[in-house]
Amino acid sequence: MTAQDLTIDLASTTLRQLNQALHRLAPDTNQRYWRVLNPRGGHALAAGLDAPVKVEIDGHVGYYCAGMNKLATVIVNGNAGVGVAENMMSGLVHVRGDASQAAGATAHGGMLVIDGNASARCGISMKGIDIVVKGSIGHMSAFMGQAGTLTVLGDAGEALGDSLYEARLFVRGSVASLGADCVEKEMRDEHRAELGARLEAAGLAGTVDVAEFRRYGSARQLYNFHIDNVY
Amino acid sequence: MCGIVGLFIKSPKLEPELGALLATMLEVMSDRGPDSAGFAVYGDGRSDRVKLSLHAPGGADFQAIAATLEGQVGTKVGVTIRSSHAILEVPAERETALRDALGQGYPLVTVVGTGARMEIYKEVGQPADVARRFDLSSMAGTHGVGHTRMATESAITTAGAHPFSTGRDQCLVHNGSLSNHNSLRRTLRRDGVAFGTDNDSEVAAGYLTWRLRQGDSLKRALTSSLDTLDGFYTFVVGTESGFAVLRDPISCKPAVMAETDDYVAFGSEYRALADLPGIARARVWEPEPATVYSWERAA
């Protein structure tokens, strides 16, 4: 198959056919670059990938794009709907426009980069993913975040980090309000190094000053953090 | 889950295509709401005349009904029949007489909307079928809203389908559910707002009608609903000259908007907007929670 063959136009191929073809790829496949045209807001586009391939989508995508991603790089040249990269395990998802609610929800690993804004509940219940949002994020972001990092170059909406576990939050702009048990924490050298690594991974090395960020995390005061409440 | 769409035309050259564009948007939202569908279109109209949008379960001989009503009301009654619905048009000052005669002679016929320009059509069935039955594609106008329903709050009936209209040239479509609709309905009834169903969304429409009657602008009426309505909602609202969108502060229900020089469009999902002309160059964004977005046509 030539590179020419790997341009898939969803005006003439069904989304299910595309996803099935992507799911059939072996780890050592030579079909490493896929370009997708006319996504038209379709759901679950390039979801469930499990091979080190690159899928570049020209246009806006709907719900759950690149959900459950493993190993693959998925680039959206447009906006993403609800739950982009939800439950991602590894790999990279890059949204060049805005992302809707619950971007990177419950994701265990990999990296999600959003060039625009992400709306409410960005990184909800994140379990190890690194999320970098170049714009701002909506309310209830990182709710119950367990692990991983959420880096925001813009502002954060209300109730940031509510009921947070161990996820680390770095925000450069303003925070409308902190959620229950979320507090601002000192930025020590180890945090600056971690933030710098995340920014570098997102292609922002040298363009953003880590000193401009503030760190937020769990105060660990909620019920489940008290040893007396362990059964 | 429901699907809602709305289109507000800014460039007159697109007005003849309003119905065709709205039909496409509605059909794409079928899997969000396969039970029933409905739409409101703001087309031609004169301020000294009024159009009543009627629904008769299973259809009716609207021509015969109109002929009988002409005698009772004492004026010519214009009639346009579309499937189970008909639009009756009379001089504005004869509206009460027409309503009275309808109520007495044809208790099974429901008035689903009233206005100088607004027409409402809604029916149980697949959205594409509903749009086809009413020939939505042929309709022209300045703005319109549509709804595909997956019923959660009340029965799957034509009366439970959206849009809901509780005031002249006013309509609302709703994705979500309200939890304080019963108490609010009682309050609004005392203040003279009439309701035809037990549906929660109709109460939202009624609340806006009441606020507009108090002299609020559409934007102000919607802003006050943030304090009054308890529940989940994304609303798209139409008035004779206005078009507005509001999401509740939690914003569980999805919403996408697009704007070009020619139109403002709303869809529960981007899919509903994907076929609009010039969408590739449109500004596409997700409306913020608890923020009123409104547009008004120049008088």
Side-chain angles (χ1 to χ4, degrees), chain B residues 22 82 141 189 202 206 225 240 246:
Chain B
L22 207 55
R82 290 179 187 263
R189 274 196 173 127
E202 190 184 19
S225 72
E240 197 273 331
L246 174 67

Side-chain angles (χ1 to χ4, degrees), chain A residues 45-154:
Chain A
L45 225 162
L49 302 195
D50 191 7
V53 298
K54 185 171 180 179
V55 179
E56 191 159 0
I57 303 162
D58 286 344
H60 304 310
V61 297
Y63 282 52
Y64 311 130
C65 177
M68 303 176 282
N69 185 51
K70 242 173 152 178
L71 302 174
T73 295
V74 178
I75 298 169
V76 179
N77 292 316
N79 297 339
V82 173
V84 63
E86 56 89 29
N87 214 43
M88 176 158 63
M89 304 304 285
S90 62
L92 169 69
V93 176
H94 185 174
V95 179
R96 293 202 197 271
D98 296 331
S100 184
Q101 304 189 17
T106 75
H108 292 249
M111 181 163 222
L112 169 62
V113 179
I114 297 163
D115 287 356
N117 300 315
S119 65
R121 293 170 273 273
C122 179
I124 183 170
S125 197
M126 54 195 287
K127 295 177 171 70
I129 186 177
D130 292 309
I131 303 174
V132 175
V133 180
K134 297 182 187 174
S136 298
I137 57 172
H139 62 269
M140 292 298 282
S141 288
F143 175 60
M144 293 183 80
Q146 288 138 62
T149 61
L150 171 60
T151 304
V152 183
L153 274 59

Side-chain angles (χ1 to χ4, degrees), chain A residues 170 186-199 210-211 213 215:
Chain A
F170 302 100
E186 181 192 4
M187 274 282 254
R188 297 191 297 271
D189 285 347
E190 70 201 76
H191 305 120
R192 278 187 277 274
E194 182 177 33
L195 173 59
R198 299 286 82 76
L199 291 169
V210 294
F213 287 78
R215 180 169 76 98

